[in-house]
Structure formats: structure tokens, C-alpha cells
Amino acid sequence: LYSLGRKLVEEKHFNQALAIFTMLAYLNPQVPEYWVGQAICLYSMAKYEEALAILQLAKVLQPDKVAPFIYSAFCNFALYHPEGIKQDL
């Protein structure tokens, strides 16, 4: 299912991909990639605040991975939150 979600993101079917990543995160909440997948979908749908909330969890689950921090910076940039960008980078 994760591969299908990624494929749907690549094809810009964000609502469908979001549903898959949400289900995966519900079933296995300890897997940060599922949360990041949700956040990428939300970011791509211009739901920046929602994406930021999801990314906070991904940062806690896997603080050594860069993706949650980069996407948080993108969201903060879109929201004109320079202080958030500085924290993420």
C-alpha cells in the first residue's frame, strides 16, 4: 500500500494518496514515513497548518531524518513564518 500511495503522489492524486497514508499511519503509527506521506499530500493541497501538525509527529518519531524538517520549512515559507523556517533549518 505504501508504494501505491507514493505512486499516487507522483501522479498528483493527493486525496487518494492521503487516504492511503492516513490508513497506514492508523495501522502502524510508529512508522514516520506514513506521517511524512500524509504531510506531503497536505502540503501539496495547500493545507500547510495541517501538514505542519503531522510533521511535528514525524520529527519526534525520527529526529535524524531530514524530510520532516525540509517539508516543515516549505510549509512555514508558504505561511510566511520566517521564525519557523529558522527552527527547521
Side-chain angles (χ1 to χ4, degrees), residues 1-12:
L1 273 177
Y2 179 74
S3 297
L4 176 59
R6 287 181 54 105
K7 185 175 193 274
L8 289 168
V9 168
E10 290 172 10
E11 295 173 356
K12 300 188 184 334

Side-chain angles (χ1 to χ4, degrees), residues 9 13-15 17-18 21 36-46:
V9 168
H13 298 290
F14 302 117
N15 283 322
L18 179 60
F21 290 125
V36 172
Q38 285 183 63
I40 290 170
C41 293
L42 291 166
Y43 170 80
S44 299
M45 296 162 57

Side-chain angles (χ1 to χ4, degrees), residues 33-66:
E33 288 82 7
Y34 301 160
W35 298 102
V36 172
Q38 285 183 63
I40 290 170
C41 293
L42 291 166
Y43 170 80
S44 299
M45 296 162 57
K47 296 182 178 183
Y48 307 120
E49 295 284 351
E50 292 176 55
L52 280 171
I54 297 282
L55 288 163
Q56 291 298 5
L57 180 58
K59 290 180 197 178
V60 170
L61 288 172
Q62 210 169 31
D64 59 330
K65 297 292 181 183
V66 71

